[in-house]
Amino acid sequence: MSESLHNERRGENEKRLGLVVSGSLSRGVEVKLDSTTSVEDIAVGRYVTIEGEKGRFLGMITDIALDAIDSRLMTNPPEVSDPFIAEVVAGTSTFGRVHVQPQLTLGGDVSSLLEGPQSVKTVPAHFSVVKEASEQDVERVFGQVEEKQFWIGTPLDMEIKVRLNPTEFVKRSNGVFGKSGTGKTFLARLLLIGIVQENVAANLVFDMHSEYGWEGTSEEGRKVKGLKQLFPSKVAVFALDEESARRRKVSTDFVVEVGYDEIEPEDIEMLGETLNLTEASAQATYRLARHFGERQWLERFLALEGREELNELAKALGEHEATIAALRRRLEALRRLRFLVPHARDNAIQRILEYLDRGINVVLEFGRYDDITAYVLVANLLTRRIHAQYREKVERAMGEEIAKPKPLVITIEEAHKFLNPGIANQTIFGTIAREMRKYNVTLVVIDQRPSGIDEEVMSQMGTKITCLLDNERDIESVLTGVSGKSELKAVLSKLETKQQALIFGHAVPMPVVVRTREYGSPQSYKELGFREAIELKKEAEKELEDLWG
Amino acid sequence: MSKIGEIIEASTSEFMAQCYELHQPPPFGSLVKAREGEIEIYGVVCDAATTSIEPGRHPIARGREEAEEEDVFRSSPQLAKLLRTDFSALIVGHKEGQKLYHYLPPRPARIHSFVYVCDAEEVEKFSQSFDFLSILVAAKGQADELIAASLRHAAQAQPDPRRFLVIAGKELAVLLGAEPNRLNTILRRIRR
């Protein structure tokens, strides 16, 4: 105590916050705040450095508490109306305590300077001094961001750019979570831009609400540019709904049609929940396929008219009449989907693969088919086949020692419809999420109810980026398998509703709360590499000039 | 430096001195010092009393016929010789060579050592550490009054008295962590 008093006298503790007084590696350390530090100046989620005896620790504030030297003070508070007495008791009789979760050690010697920050394996000694982390310290952890590199945001109260390690990011499946209206779409768009800009993978985006491809809308209703406008040569927009695309003046590269002959019984099985199919009628589709033939079953089944024909079919299949009738009724819903045709003019899967092979990112806009049936059907159907092709390519690459295909990142929204515990074992998305990078295909799942997603899938995710969540079960599920879970919980539930996200996992060296970078202004587009037509023309002219002298 | 009295009783923790001037003891809570060879012993004045020089003979009232209080002494000049003023000081530290120690000296002061009142500069130097507060906190009798008085006294010698009192108060808040009522009492007596 007298040490700190001396410091106070000499005025040497400008950024000093307090001292470590207790703690453990698993639960983090308790820090008693100096009397000069007001608890009200501290915020959960901020970084602090702890000067240990041998090295420095970098940690995150995860909780803040009030404490008093004696419990009698609570029942008989001192006369704090007197400023003198208030000043005396602050920090001595009554004081603030913060809980810090050490994340990394920053060694002072040469070897640790070269190795960079290491994860913590111990705690700082008693009464180590705790200070606000300087920007340099935090920058050392997240690394400097070069001009062309993509960054996602800045830590709280700092001007440092936080960068996700792009190669690490696309190696595993990732999740973007947050309750509605907290900026999931914004974040996901930024992530996609990052992947395109860093050119580490090809994207395939199932764009349910047509937010990513050409343009989207911000929370305030402003229009913001989508991927295609930023990177016209690197992004192709595929549309399911040509009319809607035309109305929205989107330049589409391809209009996707799905033939009845491409729909397999598995695809219908995945729709079980959304179409409200019974187990029996879902199984009946397999018999139908055997009966009518793989490529014709759906068309021919939907062509049947009248009760007699259906009853006859039921008899032939050995199914209950009611089952067949119910299945027919439910599948009638597919007729509403105009992109479903008896036979597609062009093979959408082949087209998508061609684009992806050339390193062009594909965004599939659903237009007005933004209901869950169409989304689940198309996403499943396309992904299954694309994944199969990728798998084949990777296996061939392993056998013949040729280059593996470029990593593919598939983005899906409403992920709990694909990855809920009931079906996660069967859907292709469950497979991709679990087998990770084996076949160079990973997912970015966007969801507002992470608790609806299978636990195993959640635990396999490499990096999770989460905006504010307030449902206890959702928070619990996002933090499954994370060390320092209860501490991060406090941080997560205190995020602001906009423009803030907690990022943790493989792509960042330690959990970080970021204020996401601004997106939507001309300046932000420019920073992300967008060039107006006139600039592009000038650049081309310059290149020509350079070429011909 | 003014000599104010002479030690007539001494132990390692306390000494008593008789003032040279009747009715003029150093203020309660002020810092005084006495020499013991090479050592200077510091004490905080914790008590003062004026009594008859003979314990058995009590003064009697003499002023019925006088108009002013001073006239009592003027008409009986022997009185000044029959009364004495003594004060006690609680020892709070000592100085050996140039170094200050805020704890008890190795030996008590000698009888008939002179006692001096410390000047502002010395008070400021001595009160750079608050280690002596723990001695005052443990003092018998009116410890809280004594602490408050000594801090008020020391504060006058500081460039920033309020800041000094705040830091002293914080030190007390720790020392009296388990006795919030005592802390409150003292703080109310030193607030400014």
PDB file of all heavy atoms in Angstrom, chain B residues 113-146:
ATOM      1  N   SER B 113      17.590  16.050  29.462  1.00  0.00           N
ATOM      2  CA  SER B 113      17.837  16.435  28.068  1.00  0.00           C
ATOM      3  C   SER B 113      16.908  17.580  27.752  1.00  0.00           C
ATOM      4  O   SER B 113      15.780  17.640  28.257  1.00  0.00           O
ATOM      5  CB  SER B 113      17.507  15.298  27.111  1.00  0.00           C
ATOM      6  OG  SER B 113      18.197  14.145  27.459  1.00  0.00           O
ATOM      7  N   PHE B 114      17.372  18.460  26.870  1.00  0.00           N
ATOM      8  CA  PHE B 114      16.500  19.563  26.451  1.00  0.00           C
ATOM      9  C   PHE B 114      15.513  19.081  25.408  1.00  0.00           C
ATOM     10  O   PHE B 114      15.831  18.229  24.595  1.00  0.00           O
ATOM     11  CB  PHE B 114      17.337  20.703  25.852  1.00  0.00           C
ATOM     12  CG  PHE B 114      18.282  21.315  26.851  1.00  0.00           C
ATOM     13  CD1 PHE B 114      19.456  21.919  26.416  1.00  0.00           C
ATOM     14  CD2 PHE B 114      17.985  21.303  28.219  1.00  0.00           C
ATOM     15  CE1 PHE B 114      20.324  22.496  27.321  1.00  0.00           C
ATOM     16  CE2 PHE B 114      18.866  21.878  29.126  1.00  0.00           C
ATOM     17  CZ  PHE B 114      20.040  22.475  28.687  1.00  0.00           C
ATOM     18  N   VAL B 115      14.358  19.681  25.465  1.00  0.00           N
ATOM     19  CA  VAL B 115      13.347  19.335  24.465  1.00  0.00           C
ATOM     20  C   VAL B 115      13.121  20.542  23.571  1.00  0.00           C
ATOM     21  O   VAL B 115      12.995  21.663  24.060  1.00  0.00           O
ATOM     22  CB  VAL B 115      12.028  18.910  25.132  1.00  0.00           C
ATOM     23  CG1 VAL B 115      10.990  18.562  24.078  1.00  0.00           C
ATOM     24  CG2 VAL B 115      12.262  17.723  26.058  1.00  0.00           C
ATOM     25  N   TYR B 116      13.125  20.270  22.237  1.00  0.00           N
ATOM     26  CA  TYR B 116      12.953  21.346  21.273  1.00  0.00           C
ATOM     27  C   TYR B 116      11.662  21.144  20.490  1.00  0.00           C
ATOM     28  O   TYR B 116      11.227  20.012  20.283  1.00  0.00           O
ATOM     29  CB  TYR B 116      14.111  21.347  20.265  1.00  0.00           C
ATOM     30  CG  TYR B 116      15.469  21.491  20.913  1.00  0.00           C
ATOM     31  CD1 TYR B 116      16.179  20.367  21.343  1.00  0.00           C
ATOM     32  CD2 TYR B 116      16.032  22.758  21.082  1.00  0.00           C
ATOM     33  CE1 TYR B 116      17.423  20.498  21.927  1.00  0.00           C
ATOM     34  CE2 TYR B 116      17.294  22.881  21.673  1.00  0.00           C
ATOM     35  CZ  TYR B 116      17.983  21.756  22.096  1.00  0.00           C
ATOM     36  OH  TYR B 116      19.197  21.880  22.665  1.00  0.00           O
ATOM     37  N   VAL B 117      11.097  22.244  20.050  1.00  0.00           N
ATOM     38  CA  VAL B 117       9.948  22.146  19.139  1.00  0.00           C
ATOM     39  C   VAL B 117      10.509  22.058  17.715  1.00  0.00           C
ATOM     40  O   VAL B 117      11.400  22.822  17.352  1.00  0.00           O
ATOM     41  CB  VAL B 117       9.047  23.389  19.263  1.00  0.00           C
ATOM     42  CG1 VAL B 117       7.964  23.371  18.184  1.00  0.00           C
ATOM     43  CG2 VAL B 117       8.405  23.436  20.622  1.00  0.00           C
ATOM     44  N   CYS B 118      10.028  21.128  16.904  1.00  0.00           N
ATOM     45  CA  CYS B 118      10.548  20.981  15.536  1.00  0.00           C
ATOM     46  C   CYS B 118       9.979  22.092  14.653  1.00  0.00           C
ATOM     47  O   CYS B 118       8.788  22.438  14.769  1.00  0.00           O
ATOM     48  CB  CYS B 118      10.152  19.636  14.957  1.00  0.00           C
ATOM     49  SG  CYS B 118      10.910  18.250  15.802  1.00  0.00           S
ATOM     50  N   ASP B 119      10.822  22.619  13.779  1.00  0.00           N
ATOM     51  CA  ASP B 119      10.301  23.644  12.864  1.00  0.00           C
ATOM     52  C   ASP B 119       9.614  22.999  11.651  1.00  0.00           C
ATOM     53  O   ASP B 119       9.634  21.774  11.480  1.00  0.00           O
ATOM     54  CB  ASP B 119      11.430  24.589  12.420  1.00  0.00           C
ATOM     55  CG  ASP B 119      12.546  23.855  11.723  1.00  0.00           C
ATOM     56  OD1 ASP B 119      12.317  22.691  11.313  1.00  0.00           O
ATOM     57  OD2 ASP B 119      13.644  24.425  11.598  1.00  0.00           O
ATOM     58  N   ALA B 120       8.993  23.845  10.850  1.00  0.00           N
ATOM     59  CA  ALA B 120       8.165  23.341   9.742  1.00  0.00           C
ATOM     60  C   ALA B 120       8.945  22.409   8.811  1.00  0.00           C
ATOM     61  O   ALA B 120       8.444  21.361   8.381  1.00  0.00           O
ATOM     62  CB  ALA B 120       7.596  24.509   8.946  1.00  0.00           C
ATOM     63  N   GLU B 121      10.187  22.786   8.533  1.00  0.00           N
ATOM     64  CA  GLU B 121      10.992  21.985   7.608  1.00  0.00           C
ATOM     65  C   GLU B 121      11.192  20.565   8.142  1.00  0.00           C
ATOM     66  O   GLU B 121      11.061  19.569   7.428  1.00  0.00           O
ATOM     67  CB  GLU B 121      12.333  22.680   7.435  1.00  0.00           C
ATOM     68  CG  GLU B 121      13.141  22.155   6.261  1.00  0.00           C
ATOM     69  CD  GLU B 121      14.537  22.770   6.271  1.00  0.00           C
ATOM     70  OE1 GLU B 121      14.703  23.880   6.849  1.00  0.00           O
ATOM     71  OE2 GLU B 121      15.441  22.131   5.743  1.00  0.00           O
ATOM     72  N   GLU B 122      11.474  20.508   9.429  1.00  0.00           N
ATOM     73  CA  GLU B 122      11.705  19.203  10.048  1.00  0.00           C
ATOM     74  C   GLU B 122      10.410  18.379  10.088  1.00  0.00           C
ATOM     75  O   GLU B 122      10.426  17.168   9.871  1.00  0.00           O
ATOM     76  CB  GLU B 122      12.242  19.424  11.468  1.00  0.00           C
ATOM     77  CG  GLU B 122      13.177  18.329  11.894  1.00  0.00           C
ATOM     78  CD  GLU B 122      14.049  18.766  13.066  1.00  0.00           C
ATOM     79  OE1 GLU B 122      13.843  19.869  13.597  1.00  0.00           O
ATOM     80  OE2 GLU B 122      14.936  17.984  13.439  1.00  0.00           O
ATOM     81  N   VAL B 123       9.303  19.071  10.378  1.00  0.00           N
ATOM     82  CA  VAL B 123       8.014  18.378  10.407  1.00  0.00           C
ATOM     83  C   VAL B 123       7.713  17.793   9.029  1.00  0.00           C
ATOM     84  O   VAL B 123       7.290  16.650   8.885  1.00  0.00           O
ATOM     85  CB  VAL B 123       6.892  19.346  10.840  1.00  0.00           C
ATOM     86  CG1 VAL B 123       5.518  18.692  10.659  1.00  0.00           C
ATOM     87  CG2 VAL B 123       7.081  19.775  12.284  1.00  0.00           C
ATOM     88  N   GLU B 124       7.986  18.565   8.003  1.00  0.00           N
ATOM     89  CA  GLU B 124       7.693  18.090   6.650  1.00  0.00           C
ATOM     90  C   GLU B 124       8.521  16.861   6.333  1.00  0.00           C
ATOM     91  O   GLU B 124       8.045  15.872   5.787  1.00  0.00           O
ATOM     92  CB  GLU B 124       7.963  19.195   5.630  1.00  0.00           C
ATOM     93  CG  GLU B 124       7.243  18.906   4.325  1.00  0.00           C
ATOM     94  CD  GLU B 124       7.984  19.389   3.109  1.00  0.00           C
ATOM     95  OE1 GLU B 124       8.740  20.362   3.214  1.00  0.00           O
ATOM     96  OE2 GLU B 124       7.816  18.765   2.045  1.00  0.00           O
ATOM     97  N   LYS B 125       9.820  16.937   6.715  1.00  0.00           N
ATOM     98  CA  LYS B 125      10.714  15.817   6.457  1.00  0.00           C
ATOM     99  C   LYS B 125      10.238  14.568   7.179  1.00  0.00           C
ATOM    100  O   LYS B 125      10.188  13.488   6.619  1.00  0.00           O
ATOM    101  CB  LYS B 125      12.132  16.189   6.909  1.00  0.00           C
ATOM    102  CG  LYS B 125      13.160  15.958   5.820  1.00  0.00           C
ATOM    103  CD  LYS B 125      14.532  16.387   6.271  1.00  0.00           C
ATOM    104  CE  LYS B 125      15.035  17.535   5.425  1.00  0.00           C
ATOM    105  NZ  LYS B 125      16.231  18.163   5.999  1.00  0.00           N
ATOM    106  N   PHE B 126       9.888  14.768   8.442  1.00  0.00           N
ATOM    107  CA  PHE B 126       9.496  13.620   9.256  1.00  0.00           C
ATOM    108  C   PHE B 126       8.209  12.984   8.718  1.00  0.00           C
ATOM    109  O   PHE B 126       8.049  11.771   8.722  1.00  0.00           O
ATOM    110  CB  PHE B 126       9.316  14.022  10.715  1.00  0.00           C
ATOM    111  CG  PHE B 126       9.113  12.847  11.626  1.00  0.00           C
ATOM    112  CD1 PHE B 126      10.204  12.126  12.089  1.00  0.00           C
ATOM    113  CD2 PHE B 126       7.837  12.431  11.992  1.00  0.00           C
ATOM    114  CE1 PHE B 126      10.029  11.015  12.901  1.00  0.00           C
ATOM    115  CE2 PHE B 126       7.660  11.323  12.798  1.00  0.00           C
ATOM    116  CZ  PHE B 126       8.759  10.616  13.260  1.00  0.00           C
ATOM    117  N   SER B 127       7.295  13.819   8.225  1.00  0.00           N
ATOM    118  CA  SER B 127       5.990  13.280   7.831  1.00  0.00           C
ATOM    119  C   SER B 127       5.955  12.805   6.378  1.00  0.00           C
ATOM    120  O   SER B 127       4.893  12.612   5.815  1.00  0.00           O
ATOM    121  CB  SER B 127       4.888  14.307   8.103  1.00  0.00           C
ATOM    122  OG  SER B 127       5.232  15.538   7.509  1.00  0.00           O
ATOM    123  N   GLN B 128       7.133  12.598   5.810  1.00  0.00           N
ATOM    124  CA  GLN B 128       7.109  12.014   4.461  1.00  0.00           C
ATOM    125  C   GLN B 128       6.740  10.547   4.488  1.00  0.00           C
ATOM    126  O   GLN B 128       6.344   9.989   3.480  1.00  0.00           O
ATOM    127  CB  GLN B 128       8.465  12.220   3.793  1.00  0.00           C
ATOM    128  CG  GLN B 128       8.542  13.612   3.235  1.00  0.00           C
ATOM    129  CD  GLN B 128       9.721  13.856   2.360  1.00  0.00           C
ATOM    130  OE1 GLN B 128      10.583  13.004   2.221  1.00  0.00           O
ATOM    131  NE2 GLN B 128       9.752  15.022   1.770  1.00  0.00           N
ATOM    132  N   SER B 129       6.905   9.939   5.634  1.00  0.00           N
ATOM    133  CA  SER B 129       6.446   8.558   5.779  1.00  0.00           C
ATOM    134  C   SER B 129       5.371   8.538   6.852  1.00  0.00           C
ATOM    135  O   SER B 129       5.455   9.271   7.832  1.00  0.00           O
ATOM    136  CB  SER B 129       7.600   7.660   6.174  1.00  0.00           C
ATOM    137  OG  SER B 129       7.074   6.477   6.744  1.00  0.00           O
ATOM    138  N   PHE B 130       4.383   7.667   6.622  1.00  0.00           N
ATOM    139  CA  PHE B 130       3.295   7.592   7.599  1.00  0.00           C
ATOM    140  C   PHE B 130       3.446   6.391   8.524  1.00  0.00           C
ATOM    141  O   PHE B 130       2.508   6.003   9.186  1.00  0.00           O
ATOM    142  CB  PHE B 130       1.956   7.545   6.888  1.00  0.00           C
ATOM    143  CG  PHE B 130       1.613   8.834   6.214  1.00  0.00           C
ATOM    144  CD1 PHE B 130       1.638   8.950   4.838  1.00  0.00           C
ATOM    145  CD2 PHE B 130       1.277   9.942   6.971  1.00  0.00           C
ATOM    146  CE1 PHE B 130       1.332  10.153   4.229  1.00  0.00           C
ATOM    147  CE2 PHE B 130       0.968  11.137   6.367  1.00  0.00           C
ATOM    148  CZ  PHE B 130       1.002  11.249   4.987  1.00  0.00           C
ATOM    149  N   ASP B 131       4.651   5.826   8.546  1.00  0.00           N
ATOM    150  CA  ASP B 131       4.838   4.637   9.374  1.00  0.00           C
ATOM    151  C   ASP B 131       4.577   4.931  10.842  1.00  0.00           C
ATOM    152  O   ASP B 131       4.197   4.041  11.602  1.00  0.00           O
ATOM    153  CB  ASP B 131       6.260   4.091   9.204  1.00  0.00           C
ATOM    154  CG  ASP B 131       6.470   3.521   7.815  1.00  0.00           C
ATOM    155  OD1 ASP B 131       5.462   3.422   7.073  1.00  0.00           O
ATOM    156  OD2 ASP B 131       7.610   3.191   7.456  1.00  0.00           O
ATOM    157  N   PHE B 132       4.797   6.183  11.251  1.00  0.00           N
ATOM    158  CA  PHE B 132       4.576   6.522  12.667  1.00  0.00           C
ATOM    159  C   PHE B 132       3.102   6.450  13.050  1.00  0.00           C
ATOM    160  O   PHE B 132       2.764   6.374  14.228  1.00  0.00           O
ATOM    161  CB  PHE B 132       5.136   7.916  12.973  1.00  0.00           C
ATOM    162  CG  PHE B 132       4.386   9.028  12.305  1.00  0.00           C
ATOM    163  CD1 PHE B 132       3.358   9.692  12.979  1.00  0.00           C
ATOM    164  CD2 PHE B 132       4.695   9.424  11.017  1.00  0.00           C
ATOM    165  CE1 PHE B 132       2.656  10.714  12.369  1.00  0.00           C
ATOM    166  CE2 PHE B 132       4.000  10.460  10.413  1.00  0.00           C
ATOM    167  CZ  PHE B 132       2.980  11.101  11.075  1.00  0.00           C
ATOM    168  N   LEU B 133       2.208   6.458  12.045  1.00  0.00           N
ATOM    169  CA  LEU B 133       0.778   6.433  12.382  1.00  0.00           C
ATOM    170  C   LEU B 133       0.406   5.170  13.139  1.00  0.00           C
ATOM    171  O   LEU B 133      -0.466   5.195  14.004  1.00  0.00           O
ATOM    172  CB  LEU B 133      -0.065   6.540  11.104  1.00  0.00           C
ATOM    173  CG  LEU B 133      -0.205   7.942  10.517  1.00  0.00           C
ATOM    174  CD1 LEU B 133      -1.019   7.887   9.240  1.00  0.00           C
ATOM    175  CD2 LEU B 133      -0.874   8.882  11.525  1.00  0.00           C
ATOM    176  N   SER B 134       1.091   4.063  12.825  1.00  0.00           N
ATOM    177  CA  SER B 134       0.706   2.818  13.494  1.00  0.00           C
ATOM    178  C   SER B 134       1.008   2.920  15.003  1.00  0.00           C
ATOM    179  O   SER B 134       0.316   2.306  15.808  1.00  0.00           O
ATOM    180  CB  SER B 134       1.428   1.634  12.870  1.00  0.00           C
ATOM    181  OG  SER B 134       2.817   1.822  12.988  1.00  0.00           O
ATOM    182  N   ILE B 135       2.043   3.701  15.371  1.00  0.00           N
ATOM    183  CA  ILE B 135       2.323   3.885  16.800  1.00  0.00           C
ATOM    184  C   ILE B 135       1.188   4.680  17.451  1.00  0.00           C
ATOM    185  O   ILE B 135       0.690   4.338  18.525  1.00  0.00           O
ATOM    186  CB  ILE B 135       3.668   4.625  17.001  1.00  0.00           C
ATOM    187  CG1 ILE B 135       4.805   3.794  16.391  1.00  0.00           C
ATOM    188  CG2 ILE B 135       3.916   4.920  18.480  1.00  0.00           C
ATOM    189  CD1 ILE B 135       6.168   4.457  16.470  1.00  0.00           C
ATOM    190  N   LEU B 136       0.756   5.721  16.741  1.00  0.00           N
ATOM    191  CA  LEU B 136      -0.327   6.555  17.295  1.00  0.00           C
ATOM    192  C   LEU B 136      -1.635   5.780  17.385  1.00  0.00           C
ATOM    193  O   LEU B 136      -2.399   5.928  18.343  1.00  0.00           O
ATOM    194  CB  LEU B 136      -0.520   7.810  16.440  1.00  0.00           C
ATOM    195  CG  LEU B 136       0.670   8.763  16.335  1.00  0.00           C
ATOM    196  CD1 LEU B 136       0.258  10.030  15.596  1.00  0.00           C
ATOM    197  CD2 LEU B 136       1.213   9.121  17.714  1.00  0.00           C
ATOM    198  N   VAL B 137      -1.891   4.944  16.368  1.00  0.00           N
ATOM    199  CA  VAL B 137      -3.143   4.183  16.359  1.00  0.00           C
ATOM    200  C   VAL B 137      -3.218   3.297  17.593  1.00  0.00           C
ATOM    201  O   VAL B 137      -4.285   3.099  18.176  1.00  0.00           O
ATOM    202  CB  VAL B 137      -3.245   3.362  15.051  1.00  0.00           C
ATOM    203  CG1 VAL B 137      -4.299   2.269  15.164  1.00  0.00           C
ATOM    204  CG2 VAL B 137      -3.572   4.277  13.883  1.00  0.00           C
ATOM    205  N   ALA B 138      -2.049   2.775  18.001  1.00  0.00           N
ATOM    206  CA  ALA B 138      -2.041   1.850  19.137  1.00  0.00           C
ATOM    207  C   ALA B 138      -1.909   2.563  20.477  1.00  0.00           C
ATOM    208  O   ALA B 138      -1.826   1.911  21.518  1.00  0.00           O
ATOM    209  CB  ALA B 138      -0.895   0.854  18.951  1.00  0.00           C
ATOM    210  N   ALA B 139      -1.881   3.921  20.470  1.00  0.00           N
ATOM    211  CA  ALA B 139      -1.656   4.657  21.720  1.00  0.00           C
ATOM    212  C   ALA B 139      -2.816   4.481  22.684  1.00  0.00           C
ATOM    213  O   ALA B 139      -3.960   4.266  22.280  1.00  0.00           O
ATOM    214  CB  ALA B 139      -1.466   6.138  21.407  1.00  0.00           C
ATOM    215  N   LYS B 140      -2.480   4.562  23.977  1.00  0.00           N
ATOM    216  CA  LYS B 140      -3.541   4.442  24.982  1.00  0.00           C
ATOM    217  C   LYS B 140      -4.276   5.783  25.094  1.00  0.00           C
ATOM    218  O   LYS B 140      -3.757   6.822  24.697  1.00  0.00           O
ATOM    219  CB  LYS B 140      -2.925   4.088  26.343  1.00  0.00           C
ATOM    220  CG  LYS B 140      -2.548   2.621  26.424  1.00  0.00           C
ATOM    221  CD  LYS B 140      -2.081   2.316  27.830  1.00  0.00           C
ATOM    222  CE  LYS B 140      -0.713   1.770  27.878  1.00  0.00           C
ATOM    223  NZ  LYS B 140       0.491   2.331  27.923  1.00  0.00           N
ATOM    224  N   GLY B 141      -5.440   5.755  25.667  1.00  0.00           N
ATOM    225  CA  GLY B 141      -6.168   6.995  25.931  1.00  0.00           C
ATOM    226  C   GLY B 141      -6.774   7.591  24.667  1.00  0.00           C
ATOM    227  O   GLY B 141      -7.359   6.878  23.870  1.00  0.00           O
ATOM    228  N   GLN B 142      -6.549   8.885  24.504  1.00  0.00           N
ATOM    229  CA  GLN B 142      -7.213   9.621  23.420  1.00  0.00           C
ATOM    230  C   GLN B 142      -6.465   9.470  22.086  1.00  0.00           C
ATOM    231  O   GLN B 142      -6.072  10.470  21.484  1.00  0.00           O
ATOM    232  CB  GLN B 142      -7.275  11.095  23.796  1.00  0.00           C
ATOM    233  CG  GLN B 142      -7.944  11.371  25.110  1.00  0.00           C
ATOM    234  CD  GLN B 142      -9.418  11.629  24.928  1.00  0.00           C
ATOM    235  OE1 GLN B 142      -9.830  12.096  23.882  1.00  0.00           O
ATOM    236  NE2 GLN B 142     -10.215  11.323  25.918  1.00  0.00           N
ATOM    237  N   ALA B 143      -6.299   8.227  21.644  1.00  0.00           N
ATOM    238  CA  ALA B 143      -5.492   7.999  20.453  1.00  0.00           C
ATOM    239  C   ALA B 143      -6.065   8.711  19.226  1.00  0.00           C
ATOM    240  O   ALA B 143      -5.328   9.325  18.448  1.00  0.00           O
ATOM    241  CB  ALA B 143      -5.384   6.503  20.171  1.00  0.00           C
ATOM    242  N   ASP B 144      -7.382   8.665  19.064  1.00  0.00           N
ATOM    243  CA  ASP B 144      -7.981   9.249  17.873  1.00  0.00           C
ATOM    244  C   ASP B 144      -7.799  10.764  17.841  1.00  0.00           C
ATOM    245  O   ASP B 144      -7.503  11.347  16.802  1.00  0.00           O
ATOM    246  CB  ASP B 144      -9.471   8.894  17.795  1.00  0.00           C
ATOM    247  CG  ASP B 144      -9.672   7.391  17.663  1.00  0.00           C
ATOM    248  OD1 ASP B 144      -8.661   6.689  17.425  1.00  0.00           O
ATOM    249  OD2 ASP B 144     -10.812   6.929  17.815  1.00  0.00           O
ATOM    250  N   GLU B 145      -7.962  11.380  19.040  1.00  0.00           N
ATOM    251  CA  GLU B 145      -7.741  12.826  19.125  1.00  0.00           C
ATOM    252  C   GLU B 145      -6.293  13.145  18.779  1.00  0.00           C
ATOM    253  O   GLU B 145      -5.994  14.117  18.092  1.00  0.00           O
ATOM    254  CB  GLU B 145      -8.028  13.325  20.546  1.00  0.00           C
ATOM    255  CG  GLU B 145      -9.499  13.339  20.915  1.00  0.00           C
ATOM    256  CD  GLU B 145     -10.284  14.377  20.119  1.00  0.00           C
ATOM    257  OE1 GLU B 145      -9.649  15.276  19.538  1.00  0.00           O
ATOM    258  OE2 GLU B 145     -11.520  14.278  20.076  1.00  0.00           O
ATOM    259  N   LEU B 146      -5.400  12.305  19.285  1.00  0.00           N
ATOM    260  CA  LEU B 146      -3.980  12.535  19.078  1.00  0.00           C
ATOM    261  C   LEU B 146      -3.614  12.427  17.591  1.00  0.00           C
ATOM    262  O   LEU B 146      -2.899  13.281  17.048  1.00  0.00           O
ATOM    263  CB  LEU B 146      -3.173  11.523  19.901  1.00  0.00           C
ATOM    264  CG  LEU B 146      -1.668  11.605  19.744  1.00  0.00           C
ATOM    265  CD1 LEU B 146      -1.155  12.965  20.196  1.00  0.00           C
ATOM    266  CD2 LEU B 146      -0.983  10.502  20.554  1.00  0.00           C
TER     267      LEU B 146
END
